[in-house]
Amino acid sequence: MSGAEHIVIYHTSDIHARLGFGSRLATLVEPGALLVDSGDALAGSSVFYVRDERVIHDLAHAPYSALAVGNREFHYLHRLFLARARKLPAPLVCSNLIDVWRREPVFERALVVRAGNTDVRILALLVPQYRAGSGWEKIFGWRFLAPDIALAEMLGGAQPMPTIVLSHLGLDADRHVAQRWPQLAAILGGHTHETLAQPDIINNIPIAHPGAYASHVGRLELIVENGSTRIGAYELMPLS
C-alpha cells in the first residue's frame, strides 16, 4: 500500500472523576499515537466548581493531546472555566462555543496535532445549553452554536488534513453529523455513555464510543491515502 499513512488514536470519554486509569494509558499508548478525550472527565459541572479535581493527576499521567469540553469541563462563569482549564494537562477544544465578550481564551475552537507522520485537525462539539440569542447569553457571555452551524464554519473549503470530531453530543446526534458531513475522518463520541464494541460506520466515517467511567479506551487506526481516509482497525481495550 504505497504512500498510505497510518494514524492511531486512543479515545476515552465520560470518565466522571474515576481514578486509576492514567498509568494503564501511559503503558498502552504507543509513541506517535494520539490520546484524546470527548468530555466529562471531571467531577465538577457547569455550575459546581471543585477545587481539587483528583482525576487531573490521572489525566496528567497519560499522554493526552486534547480534551473536549463536556458538561463537566464547561462552567457558566468565565473565571471558573478558565481556572479549570489551566489545571488540565492538555488543551481544551470546543468548536461550537463562542465567547461573545472576548475574554481570555479558555479553549481552542480547532487544534492541529501530529500523529505519526500526519497532521490531524481536531474539532469538538458540546451539547448546546441554550439557544443562540437567549437571555442567558447576555448574562454569561457564552453563545452556543448548533453543531451543523459550527461545522459549516469550520469545514468550509478544502480540507488539507484528516479532521476528527470529539463529540459530546451523544450517539444519535453523532450519526446525524456523519450523515451531514462526509468529509470527516472519524467521530469519537461520548455523553450518552454507550459502549460500542465496534464503531458504527456512516458515510465511511467510523463513530466510536468507548463507554463511561474509565472502563475502556478505544484504539482506532485510520489509513490516509490519496487524500481520503478510511478505517483500518478498531479495538475496545479494558482499563480496569
Side-chain angles (χ1 to χ4, degrees):
M1 193 177 300
S2 177
E5 296 285 350
H6 290 244
I7 299 171
V8 175
I9 306 170
Y10 289 80
H11 163 224
T12 57
S13 190
D14 299 287
I15 293 169
H16 289 286
R18 292 300 197 274
L19 303 177
F21 62 91
S23 58
R24 170 75 169 149
L25 284 174
T27 62
L28 281 177
V29 179
E30 62 264 35
L34 293 180
L35 173 62
V36 296
D37 183 82
S38 289
D40 277 9
L42 303 181
S45 70
S46 56
V47 296
F48 182 62
Y49 184 78
V50 175
R51 289 187 179 277
D52 183 17
E53 289 276 7
R54 295 175 61 203
V55 69
I56 289 176
H57 297 291
D58 272 286
L59 295 171
H61 197 64
Y64 280 96
S65 295
L67 307 169
V69 175
N71 307 76
R72 303 287 175 163
E73 286 73 35
F74 174 73
H75 201 289
Y76 285 104
L77 298 182
H78 175 269
R79 63 181 178 84
L80 295 182
F81 194 4
L82 182 62
R84 189 176 274 166
R86 285 174 171 169
K87 294 179 180 180
L88 293 170
L92 284 172
V93 186
C94 191
S95 305
N96 67 321
L97 183 60
I98 304 292
D99 183 358
V100 297
W101 294 347
R102 299 185 180 182
R103 295 161 289 192
E104 183 175 348
V106 177
F107 53 86
E108 305 284 345
R109 292 195 68 205
L111 187 69
V112 175
V113 295
R114 192 77 172 168
N117 297 318
T118 305
D119 286 334
V120 177
R121 190 176 189 220
I122 296 176
L123 306 179
L125 298 171
L126 171 63
V127 174
Q129 309 294 298
Y130 48 75
R131 292 181 181 275
S134 158
W136 297 112
E137 184 178 302
K138 297 178 182 178
I139 294 171
F140 296 114
W142 299 114
R143 175 173 298 160
F144 290 90
L145 303 178
D148 279 339
I149 292 175
L151 289 174
E153 175 191 350
M154 306 303 287
L155 295 174
Q159 297 306 303
M161 64 190 74
T163 298
I164 67 170
V165 169
L166 307 182
S167 169
H168 202 75
L169 301 175
L171 182 55
D172 287 344
D174 291 346
R175 289 167 174 155
H176 169 83
V177 170
Q179 289 168 349
R180 293 269 294 157
W181 303 99
Q183 60 268 62
L184 296 174
I187 299 172
L188 307 179
H191 183 53
T192 44
H193 295 195
E194 276 96 354
T195 305
L196 300 181
Q198 288 294 320
D200 279 3
I201 308 293
I202 296 176
N203 268 343
N204 202 38
I205 300 169
I207 303 171
H209 279 241
Y213 306 115
S215 60
H216 294 84
V217 61
R219 182 187 186 277
L220 174 67
E221 181 182 329
L222 297 174
I223 301 171
V224 183
E225 187 175 25
N226 298 326
S228 65
T229 306
R230 66 183 185 276
I231 185 171
Y234 183 81
E235 183 178 2
L236 188 65
M237 309 171 76
L239 285 179
S240 58

